[in-house]
């Protein structure tokens, strides 16, 4: 993209705490553990001459906050992972990993995320697509690209970039 502007929102309150595990047998992250995640969003495109914005910072914050709230203080489980089976037992969710009973969680404490694993990369893609869809719904003709970063610890992050094709 040539001659474009960008705006970034990476506020200290765009964070969430969550537990997860990775389904790679023998990997150190296969055990249940947690992170204090931080989310940053960069939107690129042209400036709308009427407002002077690519997109108002407030619009980005309004979109991102509920997405973060939905996963904050939850156990993140990848609903599209073939190695996991989920069994609803009333107020409990039983997770069967590789055919063996592994975890039981209160259902209210779980966020089923439509990814194949809860890596920072796939969480970034999931969130970026949700933010992108919301920006598209806003009809912002100046927005061309979105990049979303998920930091799982200081200095350790993954990002996903998506072209929005909204530019008129």
């Amino acid at each position: 993209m040539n001659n474009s502007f960008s705006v970034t929102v990476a506020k200290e309150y765009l964070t969430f705490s969550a537990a997860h595990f990775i389904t790679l047998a023998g990997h150190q992250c296969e055990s249940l553990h947690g992170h204090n995640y931080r989310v940053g969003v960069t939107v690129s495109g042209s400036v709308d001459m009427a407002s002077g914005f690519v997109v108002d910072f407030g619009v980005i914050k309004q979109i991102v906050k509920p997405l973060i709230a939905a996963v904050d203080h939850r156990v993140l489980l990848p609903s599209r992972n073939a190695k996991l089976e989920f069994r609803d037992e009333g107020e409990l969710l039983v997770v069967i990993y590789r055919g063996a009973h592994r975890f039981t969680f209160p259902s209210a404490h779980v966020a089923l995320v439509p990814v194949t694993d809860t890596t920072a990369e796939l969480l970034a893609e999931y969130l970026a697509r949700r933010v992108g869809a919301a920006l598209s719904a806003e009809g912002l003709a100046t927005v061309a690209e979105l990049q979303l970063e998920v930091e799982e610890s200081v200095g350790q992050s993954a990002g996903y970039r998506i072209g929005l094709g909204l530019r008129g």
Side-chain angles (χ1 to χ4, degrees):
M1 180 171 32
N2 296 326
N3 301 321
S4 67
F5 292 87
S6 66
V7 296
T8 300
V9 176
K11 303 294 281 181
E12 65 281 353
Y13 56 79
L14 294 181
T15 60
F16 64 98
S17 298
H20 79 130
F21 60 95
I22 305 297
T23 60
L24 296 174
H27 192 278
Q28 69 180 5
C29 294
E30 186 181 27
S31 297
L32 185 65
H33 64 284
H35 297 285
N36 292 315
Y37 294 93
R38 182 196 60 78
V39 175
V41 177
T42 299
V43 176
S44 302
S46 58
V47 169
D48 174 57
M49 293 323 225
S51 68
F53 297 140
V54 174
V55 62
D56 188 326
F57 293 127
V59 170
I60 297 171
K61 291 185 272 189
Q62 183 179 18
I63 290 169
V64 175
K65 283 180 186 180
L67 297 176
I68 289 173
V71 294
D72 190 28
H73 286 82
R74 300 284 185 269
V75 178
L76 306 180
L77 296 174
S79 65
R80 295 183 178 166
N81 188 310
K83 298 172 192 168
L84 298 177
E85 294 175 48
F86 303 102
R87 192 171 60 226
D88 184 359
E89 294 185 356
E91 294 183 10
L92 298 176
L93 181 68
V94 175
V95 181
I96 300 163
Y97 174 47
R98 297 183 186 272
H101 175 87
R102 177 91 185 246
F103 301 109
T104 302
F105 299 109
S107 298
H109 296 191
V110 170
L112 290 172
V113 185
V115 295
T116 55
D117 226 324
T118 53
T119 62
E121 293 87 344
L122 296 178
L123 291 173
E125 178 187 16
Y126 163 71
L127 291 170
R129 290 187 181 281
R130 297 281 310 271
V131 171
L135 286 172
S136 294
E138 291 283 329
L140 300 167
T142 56
V143 176
E145 186 177 82
L146 165 102
Q147 178 160 344
L148 189 138
E149 178 184 61
V150 171
E151 182 180 78
E152 66 176 25
S153 63
V154 175
Q156 190 167 298
S157 64
Y160 187 77
R161 184 175 318 199
I162 186 170
L164 298 178
L166 299 181
R167 194 182 287 194

